[in-house]
Amino acid sequence: MTSDTALNAQPSDDDAPSILTSFTDGVARLTLNNPRRKNAITLDMAAAIEQFCDQVAADETIGAVVVDAAGSYFCSGADTRILASASADPASPKSVVQLSAVYKAFVRVGSLPVPTVGVVVGGAVGAGLNLALAVDLLVATPDAVLDSGFLARGIHPGGGHITLLNRAVGRANTIALAACGQSLTGEEAVAQGLAYAAAPIEDIPAIVDGLTAPAARDPELTRRVMSSVRLELGPPAVTWDSAIEIERGTQMWSMARKGQNWSSRGPGRS
């Protein structure tokens, strides 16, 4: 599936798959496919996301992941039917299991061994913002709305929402979003460090390709770089001295792989 297809897909039939996936030239793509409900995350979708993550983790030919959505809205959060069921008896084992399944899917995306690029069109709210915050690099349309949303629904944030926000935008902005009901546009998200880029929808595929293609050319090296990224930056982040030691062994591996061929950027290429 191309970037254009994923961004402009039409609403799917009721029996259509809950997510769409593709694996092309070292890039894996996960497309939420519940556009009639603004891609609200169902339990089936959460399970499918985990299966996708399992496949990416196991396939060492994959060097990058793209997460986007069918239709005109990225993700409106957890399916309200899950939330309504949980509200009926929040302490029940069923409620805990269902909400945990949704949040676990986002943790899996955030723990993948390759760079992840998310594409937000329209908006992301609540648990949908958690998914957007789980990716490594977020690209959004300038007018996309990134909204905590929990306060407006009269419920406390979940899924580590506050920590995810703090990692992206710091304490003050986290309080503004989570406790004071503020939101950010795609352009504002870039200015605050939450998003990597904001661009018109027609320009997004080129930005995504520019990020994923280099990572996908050498998946083995990319995965080792991302392992160091996750170890060094955390949370919690490590000291500079510790970072030197974390990087030392892998850098030696990459140099041995390259050998004396310093006229080339890639391993074993002239």
Side-chain angles (χ1 to χ4, degrees), residues 105-121:
F106 301 162
V107 172
R108 288 300 310 281
V109 171
S111 304
L112 285 171
V114 298
T116 53
V117 181
V119 177
V120 171
V121 175

Side-chain angles (χ1 to χ4, degrees), residues 20-241:
L20 305 174
T21 62
S22 66
F23 303 85
T24 306
D25 297 329
V27 179
R29 182 179 295 270
L30 164 67
T31 301
L32 305 181
N33 192 40
N34 188 17
R36 290 178 178 172
R37 297 181 68 83
K38 289 188 174 180
N39 292 303
I41 303 294
T42 65
L43 293 176
D44 285 344
M45 292 171 75
I49 290 170
E50 283 212 65
Q51 291 173 4
F52 169 83
C53 291
D54 287 342
Q55 188 168 351
V56 170
D59 187 347
E60 295 186 355
T61 68
I62 295 172
V65 163
V66 178
V67 179
D68 58 16
S72 59
Y73 198 91
F74 176 69
C75 184
S76 59
D79 191 293
T80 53
R81 292 168 292 190
I82 298 175
L83 298 175
S85 175
S87 297
D89 188 1
S92 72
K94 178 182 178 181
S95 297
V96 173
V97 167
Q98 288 186 340
L99 286 174
S100 295
V102 173
Y103 293 138
K104 184 180 177 184
F106 301 162
V107 172
R108 288 300 310 281
V109 171
S111 304
L112 285 171
V114 298
T116 53
V117 181
V119 177
V120 171
V121 175
V125 62
L129 183 54
N130 281 2
L131 177 57
L133 291 166
V135 303
D136 297 310
L137 300 168
L138 190 64
V139 181
T141 51
D143 59 350
V145 177
L146 303 171
D147 186 2
S148 174
F150 290 98
L151 188 70
R153 286 181 171 174
I155 60 175
H156 190 282
H161 184 74
I162 293 170
T163 288
L164 289 171
L165 278 174
N166 185 61
R167 284 165 53 178
V169 296
R171 180 184 175 90
N173 284 316
T174 294
I175 293 171
L177 289 161
C180 298
Q182 303 303 298
S183 62
L184 297 173
T185 65
E187 286 186 326
E188 291 170 339
V190 173
Q192 296 296 338
L194 190 154
Y196 173 79
I201 192 169
E202 63 270 17
D203 294 340
I204 288 179
I207 295 172
V208 172
D209 290 346
L211 291 169
T212 58
R217 279 197 291 268
D218 191 349
E220 185 179 21
L221 178 59
T222 297
R223 285 174 175 243
R224 291 182 183 239
V225 171
M226 287 305 300
S227 176
S228 295
V229 166
R230 304 210 188 285
L231 283 171
E232 291 181 41
L233 304 187
V238 303
T239 65
W240 192 351
D241 287 343

